[in-house]
Amino acid sequence: MAVRELIDKLNCEKKLSHDEWVKLIKEYDESDRTYAAELARCISQEMFGKDIYIRGIVEFSNICKNDCLYCGIRRSNGNVSRYRLTAEEILQCCDEGYGYGFRTFVLQSGEDAFYDREMLCGIVSEIKKRHSDCAVTLSLGEKSREDYEALFNAGADRYLLRHETADEEHYKKLHPAEMSWKNRMECLSDLKEIGYQTGCGMMIGSPYQTAECLAEDMEFMCDFKPEMIGIGPFLPHKDTPFRSCPQGSYELTLFLLSICRIMLPDVLLPATTALGTINPKGREQGVLSGANVIMPNLSPVAVRKKYMLYDNKICTGDESAQCRACLERRMESIGYKIKISRGDHI
């Protein structure tokens, strides 16, 4: 079966066999990518029209107990200037963001035990109290089921936890021995069971990744049916063991964005900052490939350059209002508009 026929089959049946996934990933060419993008764009417009949902990210701590081999804020990177925002600073970022039209706030950090259950629940419930028409998304890494339940009960709506890879052996090559793929997968199933709109995802082109690994990722997401998928190209960071590894493919990232949209038509799919870092028009091309979410930064400008998961990250010097206006123009330039809404999963 030719790649184009596989794309059509996926569009009809919403799944492929492992071997079909491998063939799709290994053998697609630029005309297949364009074909998938057009199809994905049509599906996205049927679901969401020309509306793009924005999420304001608050990166509130770059302190992390983990030592993931790809990550710029890994525990053993002594060159990072570490910081923590206070609860009041986090709330201030959200208050400002509300004024700019954000109706979803994404609280993201390294795995930092300083922010215990009580403190995090207090922050979440205060955001919901101040802004009852907003959604709160958390991206705080692996926690206990009890923590996840408490945060959900405090008002958190969504949780992003990239699975990173659905292949256990590949996971071991990207993470230190004390981290477990099984625990990551358990966390994801806990989140979904509790009732969060749950997001997973992976880097495209991470070291040791093969077409077989990516096929497993697609099969996992097909079964798991996340409400959100976060994928972006692997970008190396100079202070990690993977500093000299090549960056992930821009074209393959766009192709897989389209494929995710075709497989899960109603999924919330961001055009990531990493995509905009690898190519100046990356986020626009992401939207034209089927993405419907953009996640600009609401963190204080003073700390933005300290939250560098990879090198050369964009938009670290812009004020939040500038980011918002810039995105508005970027989306209008391709015929889309920013929608002021929570942008929930349908």
Side-chain angles (χ1 to χ4, degrees):
M1 209 183 269
V3 169
R4 196 158 296 197
E5 290 170 56
L6 290 173
I7 295 168
D8 289 336
K9 180 181 176 182
L10 178 66
N11 190 31
C12 289
E13 299 177 19
K14 303 302 173 197
K15 63 177 193 292
L16 296 175
S17 71
H18 181 78
D19 289 346
E20 286 171 332
W21 278 120
V22 172
K23 184 182 171 74
L24 181 80
I25 292 159
K26 272 187 171 167
E27 296 182 13
Y28 85 97
D29 62 19
E30 185 57 20
S31 69
D32 298 320
R33 189 187 73 70
T34 307
Y35 179 73
E38 284 171 8
L39 187 53
R41 191 159 68 239
C42 288
I43 293 168
S44 187
Q45 288 178 12
E46 275 168 31
M47 287 284 163
F48 307 102
K50 294 253 186 135
D51 292 340
I52 297 298
Y53 299 139
I54 51 170
R55 325 292 202 200
I57 300 190
V58 182
E59 296 160 339
F60 64 88
S61 167
N62 69 350
I63 295 170
C64 190
K65 71 174 173 49
N66 294 329
D67 217 14
C68 307
L69 277 74
Y70 48 81
C71 184
I73 62 168
R74 64 199 302 263
R75 182 182 72 225
S76 63
N77 181 3
N79 295 327
V80 179
S81 165
R82 305 285 177 175
Y83 72 91
R84 288 182 174 126
L85 298 185
T86 64
E88 196 41 58
E89 286 171 318
I90 295 168
L91 292 164
Q92 204 179 338
C93 291
C94 296
D95 291 346
E96 262 179 44
Y98 190 86
Y100 302 136
F102 289 91
R103 296 296 178 266
T104 289
F105 304 113
V106 182
L107 304 188
Q108 188 171 56
S109 70
E111 292 194 19
D112 182 356
F114 172 80
Y115 299 89
D116 61 13
R117 186 190 301 179
E118 189 184 352
M119 187 176 181
L120 288 168
C121 286
I123 293 166
V124 170
S125 61
E126 183 59 27
I127 294 172
K128 298 294 279 205
K129 195 170 102 185
R130 293 186 189 186
H131 308 295
S132 58
D133 56 340
C134 289
V136 173
T137 301
L138 300 175
S139 181
L140 313 174
E142 296 178 7
K143 293 192 168 292
S144 67
R145 186 175 177 120
E146 294 71 31
D147 281 343
Y148 289 149
E149 284 172 340
L151 289 160
F152 185 75
N153 293 333
D157 303 275
R158 312 184 189 127
Y159 203 104
L160 303 173
L161 181 66
R162 286 193 172 184
H163 67 282
E164 299 302 358
T165 172
D167 181 301
E168 188 167 7
E169 288 311 303
H170 184 217
Y171 188 91
K172 288 175 182 167
K173 292 176 180 172
L174 301 177
H175 299 90
E178 69 264 16
M179 291 181 72
S180 127
W181 176 83
K182 285 193 172 65
N183 189 59
R184 178 66 54 112
M185 290 300 184
E186 263 168 43
C187 286
L188 279 165
S189 71
D190 284 346
L191 288 163
K192 220 170 199 303
E193 279 173 24
I194 289 164
Y196 284 96
Q197 295 174 47
T198 304
C200 62
M202 66 284 184
M203 296 174 290
I204 308 304
S206 60
Y208 311 108
Q209 188 182 67
T210 62
E212 281 75 12
C213 292
L214 283 169
E216 287 183 58
D217 288 320
M218 299 309 295
E219 289 173 284
F220 164 67
M221 294 190 295
C222 182
D223 292 338
F224 185 67
K225 303 211 171 5
E227 283 78 23
M228 307 169 278
I229 294 175
I231 61 174
F234 164 74
L235 296 171
H237 188 289
K238 65 185 185 313
D239 297 323
T240 68
F242 292 154
R243 64 182 70 86
S244 51
C245 295
Q247 61 184 27
S249 159
Y250 172 65
E251 290 75 18
L252 179 56
T253 304
L254 291 175
F255 181 58
L256 290 175
L257 273 175
S258 299
I259 294 301
C260 287
R261 171 64 68 211
I262 294 165
M263 177 173 77
L264 295 167
D266 58 0
V267 76
L268 295 164
L269 196 60
T272 58
T273 305
L275 202 53
T277 298
I278 202 172
N279 185 302
K281 290 265 189 271
R283 288 177 297 181
E284 290 92 321
Q285 287 305 313
V287 168
L288 294 172
S289 300
N292 71 312
V293 173
I294 305 259
M295 301 172 74
N297 203 323
L298 288 178
S299 311
V301 174
V303 302
R304 286 195 199 177
K305 284 188 166 55
K306 300 176 183 177
Y307 202 91
M308 287 283 189
L309 308 187
Y310 49 81
D311 287 336
N312 306 312
K313 183 176 166 187
I314 54 168
C315 301
T316 53
D318 294 343
E319 290 286 350
S320 303
Q322 289 173 306
C323 278
R324 170 78 169 77
C326 166
L327 281 176
E328 191 101 45
R329 288 192 301 273
R330 284 173 178 270
M331 292 303 110
E332 283 171 2
S333 75
I334 54 169
Y336 285 76
K337 63 179 190 298
I338 302 257
K339 172 95 168 153
I340 294 186
S341 102
R342 282 172 47 125
D344 284 296
H345 186 260
I346 299 164

